[in-house]
Amino acid sequence: MTPDRSPLPRRRDGVLGRVLTGALAVASVLVVLVLWAAAGGPAALLAEGTAILAAARLTGLVAADLLLLQVLAMARVPWLERAWGQDRLARGHRLLGFTSCWLMAGHVVLVAYGYAAPAGTGVLAQLADLVVRYPGMLLAAAGTTLLVLVAALSVRAARRRVRYENWHLLHLYAYLGVGLAVPHQLWNGAHFVTSPAAAAYWWTLWGAAFAALLVFRVGRPLWLSRRHRLTVAEVRREASDVYSVYLAGHRLDRLAARPGQFLTWRLRTGRGWSRAHPFSLSEAPRADRLRFTFRAAGDDGARLAGAAPGTAVLIEGPYGTLTEGRRRGERVLLMAAGIGITPLRALLEGMRYAPGEVTLIYRARSDEELVLRAEIDGIARERGAQVIYLPGPPPTGRVSWLTAELAERFADHEALAHLVPELAGRDVFLCGPPPWMAAARAALRAAGVSARQVHDERFGW
């Protein structure tokens, strides 16, 4: 086989995009503060009789701004996805969500107290009166309740008790909560109705958020699904609980998916089809075929594994930045654990490299769990890649990326240096369970690998 010496793909790490969008997010909060100040907010905040209501308006305005930034972060806007990656956007979405939720709670309490104190009524009684009498407040109360429930479900302890697919579906009710808050701001927002500049700003931000949702969360997935007409061609069992789904479609090259990326899949298999499943491509995408490989768990796993040929498939994506576009040099190390092999198997096949430039370390609990091994061996022989399999149970008493046997002989970083020569000069792509990836990143740092050379996506939801 002739070595591939073609130039590396142009890097698309999105630094400029992250700087610009981060600056815009900060600027949006500053605009809210400026508009609040221009409407006399600081003076009201310092006055004895109006301080509480001024603080209530400020917390409400900032909460609304962060809420809409949160919506935009997860609206699947393609250039945002390319700049940040969905894992970073998800973490930002989570931070913005909890912050806006606390500010919103503060807004509600401050408003009720601000009106109750002069009237000499109880806070709860005053809050009930506001909800019933003021236009839009009943809708706002319903929207706030939905948002608080979604926030409660997003607390880590609660998320552990809910399957990802159900959590994702319930999470969509947050959009309804945001929508129900709009009339309150339009009808009761003093800054909105008295300032043309504030009205223009808020109309623009609300419009951008809802347009992004409509176009990229609804319109684009429907258009892609109709354009490419994906259907299940075959479901193949790879191991006792691991399956690959082969999909046929029309002009899939125009989908522009890249090795290392993932799509969100919905297989029209009857009840439960609306639940979304984010799975990585497990082979380099082809013009007539895509494949994802997954570990079956629960009812949804059985449903996907039992999909009949010809089943229609709805898609969102492709998403993800764990691609060759992050690569900085010629030599590469791929490190996978468990089902995390899927995007790295696609990279092993589709990445540009010459013989000897790529090493794959594949960690699993047993030989039986080394899924796609025959394919990996075939790619390694054809492309001249080195593959190191590390089956075996993990060490007890500590988290390590190694097997128990190797952990007795080497420290985590020493094992890396032993297994992979010239480690410090390599790009490293990681995929596996979050604790395993954390251990691998720590070992790489200790072995002298720069953080800029380590590429991963973390999808702990």
Side-chain angles (χ1 to χ4, degrees):
M1 179 178 179
T2 304
D4 187 350
R5 294 293 185 185
S6 57
L8 291 177
R10 184 180 177 184
R11 292 184 65 242
R12 300 183 181 90
D13 56 8
V15 173
L16 180 60
R18 290 197 291 274
V19 170
L20 288 176
T21 53
L24 286 172
V26 172
S28 74
V29 178
L30 293 177
V31 168
V32 169
L33 295 176
V34 169
L35 291 171
W36 173 79
L45 190 63
L46 296 174
E48 184 176 348
T50 57
I52 295 176
L53 288 177
R57 292 191 182 99
L58 179 59
T59 54
L61 290 167
V62 176
D65 191 72
L66 296 183
L67 195 63
L68 292 173
L69 291 180
Q70 178 190 9
V71 170
L72 285 168
M74 293 305 286
R76 307 292 194 261
V77 181
W79 57 272
L80 274 178
E81 295 278 344
R82 287 193 294 270
W84 289 93
Q86 199 172 110
D87 58 334
R88 288 192 185 102
L89 288 173
R91 291 196 293 274
H93 169 84
R94 176 180 170 81
L95 177 62
L96 290 171
F98 281 118
T99 304
S100 64
C101 189
W102 281 111
L103 287 171
M104 193 182 308
H107 170 71
V108 171
V109 172
L110 288 169
V111 165
Y113 188 76
Y115 280 103
T121 60
V123 173
L124 292 178
Q126 183 63 56
L127 182 61
D129 182 64
L130 289 172
V131 169
V132 172
R133 290 180 53 214
Y134 279 71
M137 284 296 294
L138 193 59
L139 294 176
T144 301
T145 301
L146 282 174
L147 291 169
V148 169
L149 288 174
V150 169
L153 282 173
S154 297
V155 173
R156 198 174 302 277
R159 295 202 316 272
R160 291 195 187 106
R161 300 175 180 271
V162 183
R163 287 187 305 170
Y164 169 82
E165 294 81 8
N166 289 337
W167 174 85
H168 181 270
L169 196 60
L170 290 171
H171 206 69
L172 297 179
Y173 281 101
Y175 296 126
L176 178 59
V178 174
L180 290 173
V182 176
H184 162 61
Q185 190 172 17
L186 294 180
W187 296 335
N188 299 321
H191 295 278
F192 190 96
V193 298
T194 59
S195 167
Y201 172 77
W202 286 107
W203 273 118
T204 300
L205 192 56
W206 282 107
F210 280 100
L213 283 179
L214 187 63
V215 172
F216 299 113
R217 292 303 299 264
V218 180
R220 188 171 185 268
L222 291 175
W223 175 74
L224 285 175
S225 299
R226 181 176 178 82
R227 180 191 194 191
H228 296 293
R229 303 194 293 274
L230 279 165
T231 59
V232 174
E234 179 188 359
V235 178
R236 184 178 300 172
R237 189 173 184 175
E238 307 287 0
S240 60
D241 60 346
V242 176
Y243 296 83
S244 288
V245 177
Y246 292 81
L247 304 167
H250 175 69
R251 294 304 305 269
L252 297 179
D253 53 321
R254 294 186 178 181
L255 188 60
R258 290 178 287 167
Q261 290 190 303
F262 68 96
L263 290 90
T264 298
W265 315 89
R266 290 179 173 87
L267 276 61
R268 300 291 296 272
T269 53
R271 185 176 180 180
W273 72 266
S274 61
R275 290 194 287 267
H277 302 276
F279 293 134
S280 297
L281 294 167
S282 57
E283 66 177 10
R286 307 181 185 183
D288 62 344
R289 189 176 89 180
L290 299 176
R291 184 184 77 175
F292 66 86
T293 302
F294 65 99
R295 189 177 301 280
D299 294 339
D300 271 4
R303 182 175 58 81
L304 296 177
T311 299
V313 181
L314 301 179
I315 58 169
E316 293 179 48
Y319 302 128
T321 58
L322 192 67
T323 67
E324 193 171 8
R326 288 191 178 186
R327 188 175 170 187
R328 295 173 177 272
E330 300 291 343
R331 301 179 72 80
V332 173
L333 171 63
L334 308 174
M335 295 182 68
I339 202 64
I341 187 61
T342 54
L344 300 193
R345 183 258 179 240
L347 280 171
L348 185 70
E349 178 187 9
M351 186 177 280
R352 301 183 189 187
Y353 58 91
E357 291 180 346
V358 171
T359 297
L360 167 66
I361 295 178
Y362 185 4
R363 177 79 177 85
R365 289 179 175 269
S366 65
D367 286 300
E368 291 73 23
E369 292 191 16
L370 293 168
V371 298
L372 308 177
R373 182 169 184 170
E375 295 180 12
I376 291 168
D377 289 339
I379 295 168
R381 284 192 301 269
E382 183 180 1
R383 300 291 309 275
Q386 179 189 14
V387 180
I388 301 170
Y389 295 107
L390 296 179
T396 57
R398 70 182 183 93
V399 178
S400 171
W401 74 273
L402 294 170
T403 63
E405 179 187 0
L406 279 175
E408 291 179 358
R409 297 165 49 201
F410 300 100
D412 281 16
H413 68 285
E414 292 172 344
L416 275 172
H418 174 74
L419 293 169
V420 186
E422 302 177 7
L423 176 64
R426 293 178 183 257
D427 283 281
V428 183
F429 291 79
L430 284 176
C431 192
W436 182 88
M437 286 206 299
R441 280 193 298 272
L444 288 163
R445 286 195 300 271
V449 179
S450 165
R452 298 180 66 193
Q453 296 168 244
V454 180
H455 317 295
D456 60 19
E457 285 182 305
R458 285 163 269 181
F459 297 104
W461 61 278

